[in-house]
Amino acid sequence: MTQYKLEIEQDSTGTWVGTSNLELEEGKIAYIVIGDTLEELRKSVQEGIAGDLDIEGISFEEVFLTSSEATK
């Protein structure tokens, strides 16, 4: 199983955003997930793993960014 970092932050509007850079056979792709709540974001990630991404054997490690880290 390949594990990717999912960088999570809450923007100024309160929306949760998760981003990850996936390295696939086709090349690198950015995976972006958005949710009104952290729970909604996590649910979308699980739905993506279950089928929407059509990639088997991956998981995500949640990494929470602070405002200062997000602006780097």
Side-chain angles (χ1 to χ4, degrees):
M1 178 161 300
T2 303
Q3 186 173 52
Y4 295 98
K5 288 186 180 182
L6 181 69
E7 296 181 339
I8 299 172
E9 63 182 307
Q10 189 174 27
D11 70 15
S12 61
T13 67
T15 300
W16 289 89
V17 180
T19 58
S20 184
N21 294 312
L22 307 180
E23 294 184 24
L24 308 175
E25 291 178 12
E26 306 84 39
K28 292 183 181 182
I29 64 166
Y31 178 55
I32 302 170
V33 183
I34 299 171
D36 290 329
T37 64
L38 182 56
E39 181 179 307
E40 184 179 298
L41 179 128
R42 287 178 170 153
K43 182 179 177 184
S44 294
V45 168
Q46 289 306 312
E47 289 173 354
I49 291 172
D52 293 344
L53 288 176
D54 198 27
I55 305 168
E56 294 185 18
I58 66 168
S59 64
F60 292 98
E61 173 190 359
E62 293 180 350
V63 177
F64 290 88
L65 302 179
T66 62
S67 296
S68 61
E69 289 174 325
T71 57
K72 287 183 182 175

